[in-house]
Amino acid sequence: MVDPPRFPSLASIRAFECAARLGSFTQAARELGTSPASVSYHVRQLEMQIGVPLFRRHPHKVELTEPGELVAQETVNAFAVLRASFVRAAELDEGKLALTTLPTFGTSWLIPRLGLFRAQHPEIMVDLDLSAEAQDLGGGGHDAAIRNGHGRWPGLRTIRLMPSLFAPLCAPALKAAVAGLADPHLGADVPLLGRPDWWALWYHALGHPDAVLSGRFGTRLAAEHLDVAGALAGHGIAMGSPLLFAQEIAAGRLVLAHDLVIDTGRSFWLTFPVTRQRSTKIARFRDWVCEEAARACDAGADLIGGAVLMEGS
C-alpha cells in the first residue's frame, strides 16, 4: 500500500506516464529531454515505492505488467486532462491583453487608435489601465506597458516607439495674442498651462536659462492631456507633445504657439517581461503599435528632425 505522506514523486509519475504512453524508455527520454537511463531510474523508484513491478524489461523493449496496465490507463488519462486544462488556460490568457500606460499617451494617442487593432484582431480583448506610476509587470496583473524613459528596465524587453517631444500649443484664436511668448520678460496676457519645469527647459533652449515664470501660470491640472484640453478651450498655452496631439494640430484645433520644439532625450517604449516574448497576443500588439508609431513618426518627421535636444525633463 502506498504511504500517503510518501506519495510518489511527480518526476517518477511523469516518467512512467510517458514511457507507458509511448511504449519505450528511449522514446520517453526523447520527449522529456533526458536519457533512457534517467527514465528507467525514475520508473524503478516508482516501482520500489509502491512495491509493484510496472514494466517487464527485455533486452530490446519493455512492456507493461497487468498492474502497470491499470496504472497506465489512469495516469495517461489524468495527464491528458492536465494537458487540456493547460491548453484552455493558455487560450483564455491569449484572448485578453492587459495593458498599462501613461494617462496622456493612453487618452490622446492610443485610445483613438485601439479600434484599428480590434478590427484586425477581434479575438483579443484589450483591458487598458491608465496610470501615472509605472506598474509592475511581474505580478501577473498586466501583460505589457507603454512607458516613458530611456528604455532601461531590468527583466523587460523594450521597443522604442517615438521620441518624447514638447512645444507650446494653443488654440488658433490665441496665436496673435502670444506673439511675444519667446521673451519671458515681456510676459503675456495668456496664462501658461503645464509643467513649470518643461516651460523652464523650453525657455532655457531659447537662451533664457534664468527665466522667471512665477505668476504666469493659470489653472494647475494633473496631466498633460488636461492641460491641452484647457488650451483647446482657449484657456491658455499648454506645453505638450506635438506628436501625441498631431490629430488636433492637423485638424486645425491646435497650433504651435512657437516653432521651437524640445526633444527631452526620453522616448515612449513598449515593454513587456522577457519571459513573455513568445506570447502571441503581445506579438500581435507589438507589430501593430510599432506600425502605428512609425506612421506617426513619419508624419512628424519635420518636428522630430528640427527638435532641440534638451535632456533633463
Side-chain angles (χ1 to χ4, degrees), residues 37-54:
S38 176
V39 172
S40 179
Y41 168 80
H42 282 296
V43 171
R44 181 70 72 186
Q45 290 295 109
L46 180 60
E47 291 174 324
M48 291 175 61
Q49 201 164 357
I50 66 175
V52 175
L54 299 173

Side-chain angles (χ1 to χ4, degrees), residues 8-19:
S9 73
L10 183 59
S12 294
I13 297 173
R14 181 71 182 94
F16 168 76
E17 184 275 340
C18 196

Side-chain angles (χ1 to χ4, degrees), residues 223-304:
E224 181 185 343
H225 68 279
L226 300 177
D227 294 320
V228 173
L232 283 164
H235 299 322
I237 316 164
M239 189 61 71
S241 169
L243 292 182
L244 298 187
F245 298 97
Q247 291 183 347
E248 287 77 7
I249 295 172
R253 296 192 296 272
L254 280 177
V255 295
L256 269 69
H258 191 281
D259 292 337
L260 177 65
V261 178
I262 297 297
D263 183 340
T264 68
R266 299 161 66 92
S267 297
F268 291 98
W269 303 78
L270 173 66
T271 180
F272 48 86
V274 173
T275 55
R276 301 300 306 277
Q277 290 188 100
R278 295 187 178 182
S279 169
T280 300
K281 63 182 179 182
I282 293 177
R284 288 175 177 169
F285 181 77
R286 176 203 64 209
D287 293 345
W288 173 81
V289 77
C290 286
E291 288 178 4
E292 289 296 316
R295 275 194 282 269
C297 289
D298 287 345
D302 290 342
L303 292 171
I304 296 171

